[in-house]
Amino acid sequence: MRKIVVALAAAVLALALVVWFAGQALVGLRIVRVADDLHMIQSPLGGNVAVLKTGAGAVIVDTMTFASQGAAILEAAQALTGEPVAVIVNSHYHFDHTHGNPAFPVDTRVVATERTLVHLRERDASYWTGDHAPLLPNETFEHEHEIALGSKTIRLLHPGRGHTDGDLVALFVEDGVLHAGDLYFNRRYPNIDLEAGGSVQLWGETLDRVAELPFEQVIPGHGELSDRAGLRQFRTFIEELAAVATKAAENGWTLAETQANGDIVADAGYEPISIPLVMTLDREFVVRRAWEEATGAVPRS
C-alpha cells in the first residue's frame, strides 16, 4: 500500500511539474530587435531564438522547449517578417532548443548537423515519435552548410566539440550577426554534455574557430544579446575551467579537492540556470563536469 501511495505521489508531482512548466512556457517571451531584418526571442524556459526575414520566407534558429512556445514563435515570426517560415535551424539536440519544432508545418525544411540528428534519434527518441517525427531535421551536414534564401545568406558551421559534439553556429552574413547556440552562454554557467561528446578541454579551440567568422553581434544560446568581447570573456572562463581540470588530473585531486582548490575568477557575475527537479547549472556543476572529463570519471549514460 505504501508503495502505491509513493507512486501516486510521484505521479502527481510529475503532473504538477508538467502543468507548471506548460503554464510558464509563454510567460516572459521577449522580442529583441538585433537588426532591421533580424530579431531574437527570449524566454526563461528555452534557448534564445533568432528570426530572420529573407524576402522569400523566414528562417528560425531554435524553437525552445514546448510545442506551445513553438506556436508562439511561429506566430511572432510571421508578424515580424510578414512571411511564412521557410526554414528551421536546430543548433543542437537539447530539448530547450528543439521541442518547439512540432508546432511548425510538417513540410518545413529543418536543418542540423548529422550528429544532432543522431542524438535526437538516440538520446531523445521518446519525444520524436508520432506527429512529432516529421519535424526532425530533414537536411543535415557534417562540417559546413549554406542557406541562400531571398536576399539573405546563412552560413552554418560545426566548429568542433564543446557543449556537445554536434553544435552548429549560424552566421547571418549580410547582417554581421552570429547565433552561437549553446557554444556560448552569456554570463551563465553552461551545460557540458559529456555523454553527447561535449568537451571542456576542446571547447576553447572550438570558440577560436568561431571567432574567425566575420560578425559584430552575437546571439548566445542563453543570456542577453552580446558581441565579440562577450564571446572572448566566455572563452577565458572555459580556458580557466579546463586548466583547473587538467591540474586536478595531474595532481590526482578528488572532486572535493578540485572544487576547493580550483582557481577560477572569470565567472565573476555569472548566474546559475536552474531547471526544477532536473538540474542546476552552477559553478559546482561545471567544475564537476570538467573534472569528470579530465580524470576519466564520466558516468555511464
Side-chain angles (χ1 to χ4, degrees):
M1 182 65 180
R2 187 171 184 275
K3 289 183 178 179
I4 295 175
V5 172
V6 171
L8 285 173
V12 169
L13 179 62
L15 179 60
L17 186 62
V18 169
V19 171
W20 181 86
F21 271 122
Q24 293 295 309
L26 300 181
V27 174
L29 277 183
R30 184 164 71 99
I31 297 175
V32 178
R33 180 184 174 278
V34 181
D36 287 344
D37 295 327
L38 182 63
H39 291 80
M40 176 176 71
I41 303 178
Q42 295 182 290
S43 168
L45 295 177
N48 290 334
V49 172
V51 178
L52 178 70
K53 178 179 180 179
T54 73
V59 176
I60 307 292
V61 179
D62 290 342
T63 60
M64 295 192 185
T65 309
F66 299 96
S68 59
Q69 289 179 310
I73 292 164
L74 174 59
E75 182 179 354
Q78 291 171 336
L80 289 167
T81 66
E83 303 173 349
V85 173
V87 183
I88 294 171
V89 176
N90 287 138
S91 65
H92 62 291
Y93 85 95
H94 287 150
F95 66 87
D96 57 327
H97 297 258
T98 60
H99 278 200
N101 284 20
F104 291 77
V106 295
D107 59 348
T108 302
R109 183 179 172 190
V110 184
V111 185
T113 66
E114 293 174 3
R115 289 299 300 162
T116 288
L117 180 57
V118 168
H119 291 315
L120 287 168
R121 285 175 168 165
E122 295 182 354
R123 308 184 68 82
D124 197 20
S126 62
Y127 184 79
W128 297 101
T129 59
D131 293 342
H132 292 181
L135 273 300
L136 278 166
N138 49 46
E139 182 175 325
T140 62
F141 67 97
E142 185 175 1
H143 297 298
E144 295 185 37
H145 192 60
E146 185 171 286
I147 299 171
L149 194 63
S151 62
K152 301 294 185 178
T153 307
I154 305 95
R155 288 178 55 197
L156 306 178
L157 172 69
H158 167 56
R161 291 168 58 195
H163 177 59
T164 72
D165 64 3
D167 291 70
L168 64 79
V169 298
L171 177 67
F172 304 108
V173 175
E174 289 79 12
D175 298 281
V177 178
L178 181 79
H179 193 309
D182 277 6
L183 284 171
Y184 174 32
F185 284 61
N186 185 15
R187 296 288 173 175
R188 306 291 194 275
Y189 288 101
N191 189 7
I192 303 162
D193 192 344
L194 301 179
E195 291 75 14
S199 172
V200 175
Q201 296 297 322
L202 297 177
W203 202 326
E205 296 176 8
T206 295
L207 290 176
D208 289 342
R209 296 185 193 100
V210 172
E212 294 173 358
L213 297 171
F215 60 86
E216 298 289 336
Q217 299 184 89
V218 184
I219 299 174
H222 297 267
E224 298 304 313
L225 183 66
S226 188
D227 54 20
R228 280 188 173 275
L231 187 68
R232 284 196 299 270
Q233 196 286 326
F234 183 72
R235 166 70 170 84
T236 299
F237 165 68
I238 290 294
E239 184 177 31
E240 288 184 356
L241 186 61
V244 164
T246 298
K247 186 175 181 180
E250 291 172 350
N251 293 328
W253 289 350
T254 65
L255 176 57
E257 289 171 332
T258 306
Q259 295 281 9
N261 298 326
D263 186 17
I264 300 174
V265 298
D267 63 340
Y270 274 36
E271 299 177 13
I273 298 175
S274 181
I275 305 173
L277 301 183
V278 179
M279 64 174 11
T280 297
L281 308 179
D282 55 14
R283 178 187 271 215
E284 182 178 344
F285 171 85
V286 297
V287 171
R288 174 171 60 81
R289 296 263 70 188
W291 177 84
E292 287 172 344
E293 179 188 9
T295 62
V298 181
R300 290 179 180 271
S301 57

